[in-house]
Amino acid sequence: MKRKKLMANLQAYLFVGPFVILSVVFMIYPIISGFISSFYTTRFSRNAFVGLENYVKIFTDDIYIIGIRNSVLFVVTVVPLLIIMGIWIAGAIFDKMPSYISAVRVCLYIPVIASMVVMSIIWRFILDSQSGLVKYFSMVFGFEAVNVLADRTWTLVLLIFILFTMNIGQSVILYVADMIGISKDLIEACKIDGGSRLDMYRCVLVPLTRPTTIFIFITQTAAVIRVFVVIQLLTRGGPSYQSTTMMYLMYQQAFEQGNTGVGSAIGVLLFLFTLVLVLLQQLVAGKRKGD
């Protein structure tokens, strides 16, 4: 019996072994290495121990503060928009004809499945101040051409809009899948009691899709906080670092300027933020099971 149990456990370890090895090499080791590197700085091609100096620099330097501000701004604007508009669009189509639902979902999901690089290049073509579509139509209608990507306010507004359009399809699909599973008796009861569409949202759809809302909040927050490709291809952090984010600053410090210490410190902060989101999701899921 002991031999059979040992063989069964050995077989299980052999199946799990490759995943554990790859996780250690490509996940655990980089995390530990990055955490250690965050306490060093590169000086004259040598790593010098500086303690918490890199972290202090992140929270005191004006450029990094702008990056933190923009990262938080994208989270508090894009994520609520994805949740509110996702519920509103999904609630408007979930009880329609299947062909209509499928058509809407396909149209909204195209920006999600398309490469973010391709979508960013398309937006660059539209907004380019020299040969973009915005300049062309401005000339056609007799307006003065404006370089929107050189304006601090317009740049942030456009980035928020672009991030929203790239991710709204995923929110709608998740909400529609959840709403289709809601008992039709509840929907009919709301209609029989004289409830309007707004009452259906307030009393049925929003409360019963709360787990999906929590999931979207956590996943989209983690995705928005790590936004990089759009910034790199559209603004490169400009004008004057006004559209930079923590993720883009990490790339600049680590790969363009060779300052792996500060880059690692930024990576550690982003990792801790994502870890908090995962723990929050597990906590909420545990409370739901307990209820």
Side-chain angles (χ1 to χ4, degrees), residues 70-267:
N70 289 338
S71 297
V72 174
L73 175 65
F74 291 153
V75 169
V76 300
T77 54
V78 175
V79 176
L81 280 174
L82 292 174
I83 293 174
I84 295 172
M85 295 302 296
I87 292 178
W88 180 72
I89 297 173
I93 68 173
F94 82 100
D95 56 351
K96 300 298 188 293
M97 295 178 58
S99 58
Y100 177 76
I101 298 175
S102 300
V104 174
R105 287 192 296 187
V106 168
C107 292
L108 292 176
Y109 204 64
I110 288 177
V112 179
I113 62 176
S115 170
M116 190 168 289
V117 175
V118 174
M119 297 301 299
S120 300
I121 292 175
I122 292 173
W123 278 106
R124 183 73 186 183
F125 171 72
I126 295 173
L127 301 173
D128 188 83
S129 60
Q130 302 298 322
S131 58
L133 292 179
V134 172
K135 180 181 179 181
Y136 172 77
F137 284 110
S138 297
M139 295 175 59
V140 169
F141 292 103
F143 297 108
E144 182 180 357
V146 179
N147 187 2
V148 290
L149 294 179
D151 185 88
R152 296 180 179 182
T153 303
W154 274 110
T155 298
L156 292 176
V157 172
L158 286 171
L159 288 175
I160 291 172
F161 178 76
I162 291 170
L163 291 174
F164 168 75
T165 57
M166 287 184 176
N167 295 281
I168 185 61
Q170 186 172 3
S171 297
V172 172
I173 284 182
L174 290 174
Y175 276 121
V176 168
D178 198 3
M179 291 177 183
I180 289 177
I182 295 176
S183 175
K184 294 183 179 180
D185 294 337
L186 295 175
I187 306 296
E188 293 298 329
C190 181
K191 294 179 180 179
I192 292 173
D193 290 340
S196 62
R197 197 76 178 186
L198 181 61
D199 294 325
M200 185 184 300
Y201 276 103
R202 182 171 54 87
C203 300
V204 180
L205 299 182
V206 174
L208 294 182
T209 57
R210 188 173 300 170
T212 301
T213 300
I214 296 174
F215 176 78
I216 291 175
F217 171 77
I218 294 175
T219 55
Q220 292 298 333
T221 300
V224 171
I225 204 72
R226 300 194 308 268
V227 61
F228 169 75
V229 175
V230 178
I231 306 295
Q232 169 72 2
L233 295 179
L234 286 182
T235 66
R236 293 187 176 273
S240 303
Y241 289 97
Q242 292 304 307
S243 65
T244 192
T245 61
M246 291 300 292
M247 192 70 181
Y248 187 72
L249 287 174
M250 181 181 72
Y251 165 78
Q252 280 190 320
Q253 291 296 321
F255 298 102
E256 291 186 354
Q257 301 180 16
N259 192 349
T260 56
V262 176
S264 297
I266 297 174

